[in-house]
Amino acid sequence: MYKGEEIIAFTDKHKPIIFGLFLSTIIFKHALGGIFLAVLCGLFFVRYIHNKRIHFNNFFSPMVIYFLWGALSLCWTTDFSNTLKGISITSPLIIIPFLISQYPDFRADELKKTIKIFSLCLLAYLFLCSLNAGLLFLKDRHFSHFFYHDLVSVFDNNAIYISLAVATCILFSFNEPTKKKEDYLIMMLLGIFLLMLASKNLIATTFLLMVVSLFKNKTTLKTGAIIASVLIGVVLLIMFSENPIKARFLRELNLNFDYVLSGQDFYDYKFSGLEVRIFQWRLLGEMMANHQLGILGLGLHNVDYLLDQYFSYYNLYKGYFQINFHNQFLQTFGEIGFIGLVLLLSIFIVAIYNAVKSGNQYKILLVILFLASFFTESFLSRQKGVFLFATIYSLLLMHQKFCKEKADL
């Protein structure tokens, strides 16, 4: 074989390792992910030179069209530079599907190996974060270093994004029919990591979907019994001790719904996570009522400035000025309008349809996980969120494509 064929054969054989490590780059700062993406693009050109054609999986069309619609918003955006930046951030939505489409298939064992590599990298990150938190605790005796954003301050990560990565690995492994002892250990450690990250939505959604899968798939009963025995103990410990996880859940019980929807001055108001999100639904409604948002939106990556103006008008604490809608559906509607929102929903509809059609119904749970997470975070406004979503989505559909082709033979 000449060099090009050797490279293609090597990458086909080791693609689980390649994409497992590629997923793991979300742990680090953007530079490493960009370098890895450049390497994958280089491999793409090697394949093109050898095969003289470009493959494309039609299952990815909704995600690609969503990106193209966002890029088209350059024609009506109110800030050209912001939208150019948004195109750069969301470009993996079109790049990653094309890169993964060049590979002939993605078998179940290969997908499992990819997720396992990702899981092990996340656990290595947990060890590093725990070590850092321990050193900080020795200085000031604050347990907060072991939870939420403080825990993942190594590499300046956001706890919500890491939570989604951890939850993805847990749900995938939980629904695998065959497991070794090490797989159970990895899941239990990831479960503890998820609790430490203290994302209320992702903790609740992940464990609810695990319960649902117990009724859907008898092979998960043994897994559930083993993991539940450990995690129930951890949950009871959290419930009957003072800790940031318990405090975050209890704070949501003090919902002041009326004031969030009708109040006029919020300078001294301490929002809970749910209250912030309800308030931003209110703001979107006011933007539409004031004719500041139309059917096309304000342009990709170009609605946060309007949010800042509303935060200022309602005299919110200055620390809120840098947040976005914290809801990908609201964010999409504000940026690229009703059509963009329909295209975003179509990504999930196509994923669920193909999961059912290819006989991989349990993977619907992973789609639901992303769907639920999009209600409390604007994942496609940050490059780490885009990388994670585009890669997991593409890998799942490539595996579904492989299963469907086998069934048709």
Side-chain angles (χ1 to χ4, degrees):
M1 292 189 296
Y2 67 91
K3 204 66 175 178
E5 289 179 325
E6 291 177 351
I7 293 173
I8 291 173
F10 179 84
T11 54
D12 283 348
K13 181 179 179 180
H14 298 286
K15 60 181 179 288
I17 299 175
I18 292 172
F19 285 101
L21 293 176
F22 178 60
L23 271 170
S24 302
T25 61
I26 71 160
I27 295 171
F28 305 96
K29 295 186 178 181
H30 303 311
L32 185 60
I35 292 170
F36 212 120
L37 186 61
V39 171
L40 290 178
C41 288
L43 295 174
F44 167 81
F45 285 113
V46 170
R47 287 178 175 274
Y48 174 71
I49 292 171
H50 177 262
N51 296 326
K52 299 293 189 286
R53 61 178 179 174
I54 296 175
H55 299 278
F56 180 69
N57 184 342
N58 289 329
F59 292 157
F60 301 144
S61 295
M63 190 157 63
V64 172
I65 294 171
Y66 175 82
F67 168 79
L68 293 175
W69 178 253
L72 187 63
S73 70
L74 278 171
C75 298
W76 64 80
T77 181
T78 60
D79 191 311
F80 200 80
S81 61
N82 274 349
T83 299
L84 279 178
K85 182 180 179 181
I87 291 173
S88 174
I89 290 172
T90 58
S91 60
L93 293 177
I94 192 171
I95 295 173
I96 291 175
F98 269 100
L99 294 178
I100 293 181
S101 289
Q102 308 317 305
Y103 292 86
D105 58 55
F106 227 97
R107 302 189 310 272
D109 61 313
E110 292 176 322
L111 184 57
K112 181 178 179 180
K113 187 174 182 180
T114 298
I115 298 299
K116 188 170 184 178
I117 291 170
F118 189 27
S119 299
L120 291 173
C121 289
L122 286 169
L123 290 181
Y125 183 51
L126 169 60
F127 174 78
L128 181 60
C129 290
S130 299
L131 181 61
N132 178 66
L135 293 174
L136 293 173
F137 173 77
L138 291 175
K139 292 181 179 179
D140 57 21
R141 302 295 175 177
H142 289 165
F143 281 103
S144 60
H145 297 305
F146 291 94
F147 300 96
Y148 204 40
H149 294 311
D150 279 3
L151 176 65
V152 290
S153 59
V154 182
F155 305 127
D156 298 323
N157 276 312
N158 181 301
I160 310 301
Y161 290 78
I162 300 299
S163 293
L164 181 58
V166 171
T168 298
C169 293
I170 291 172
L171 275 180
F172 182 89
S173 300
F174 187 78
N175 285 279
E176 276 296 301
T178 58
K179 299 178 186 68
K180 300 177 181 178
K181 290 182 179 179
E182 64 188 64
D183 296 321
Y184 291 109
L185 178 61
I186 289 172
M187 277 189 290
M188 286 188 288
L189 290 174
L190 287 174
I192 293 170
F193 192 13
L194 183 63
L195 290 172
M196 293 170 69
L197 289 166
S199 168
K200 302 181 295 294
N201 176 27
L202 287 168
I203 289 173
T205 301
T206 301
F207 287 102
L208 177 62
L209 292 175
M210 289 172 70
V211 170
V212 169
S213 70
L214 289 175
F215 294 98
K216 291 279 186 181
N217 187 351
K218 292 182 179 180
T219 61
T220 61
L221 288 173
K222 180 182 177 181
T223 301
I226 294 173
I227 295 177
S229 62
V230 175
L231 292 184
I232 287 175
V234 175
V235 171
L236 289 174
L237 179 63
I238 291 171
M239 289 175 61
F240 294 102
S241 63
E242 295 301 322
N243 57 80
I245 301 174
K246 178 181 176 181
R248 283 178 55 77
F249 275 95
L250 289 178
R251 190 176 178 188
E252 299 299 340
L253 299 178
N254 299 318
L255 176 63
N256 192 341
F257 193 76
D258 290 338
Y259 189 71
V260 170
L261 289 181
S262 61
Q264 297 298 309
D265 192 316
F266 292 89
Y267 182 76
D268 293 322
Y269 192 79
K270 303 295 184 182
F271 284 93
S272 69
L274 180 58
E275 286 176 332
V276 167
R277 288 160 176 83
I278 292 174
F279 182 69
Q280 292 182 329
W281 277 90
R282 169 189 172 180
L283 295 187
L284 182 73
E286 292 182 7
M287 291 174 188
M288 296 174 63
N290 294 332
H291 306 291
Q292 294 169 297
L293 280 181
I295 192 170
L296 296 179
L298 296 175
L300 187 65
H301 203 68
N302 189 45
V303 73
D304 293 351
Y305 80 92
L306 188 57
L307 267 176
D308 283 348
Q309 293 176 14
Y310 274 83
F311 294 155
S312 180
Y313 176 78
Y314 284 110
N315 200 23
L316 266 72
Y317 167 61
K318 301 298 181 182
Y320 291 116
F321 270 44
Q322 299 305 316
I323 65 174
N324 51 34
F325 271 113
H326 274 60
N327 180 314
Q328 187 57 56
F329 302 106
L330 298 187
Q331 193 78 24
T332 294
F333 183 83
E335 292 181 358
I336 50 178
F338 178 75
I339 294 176
L341 181 59
V342 170
L343 291 174
L344 179 61
L345 291 173
S346 72
I347 294 174
F348 290 100
I349 293 170
V350 168
I352 292 174
Y353 172 78
N354 283 297
V356 174
K357 190 174 181 181
S358 63
N360 288 315
Q361 288 92 334
Y362 76 87
K363 289 183 181 173
I364 295 174
L365 300 176
L366 287 172
V367 179
I368 294 173
L369 176 68
F370 276 88
L371 189 64
S373 67
F374 275 30
F375 275 103
T376 55
E377 194 68 30
S378 300
F379 279 95
L380 303 185
S381 295
R382 300 289 183 268
Q383 201 153 56
K384 288 189 178 187
V386 176
F387 265 96
L388 178 64
F389 176 70
T391 307
I392 292 294
Y393 180 88
S394 299
L395 290 174
L396 287 177
L397 288 192
M398 278 300 288
H399 175 51
Q400 290 170 357
K401 173 177 179 287
F402 175 67
C403 292
K404 182 178 183 300
E405 287 174 348
K406 284 186 67 178
D408 292 341
L409 291 178

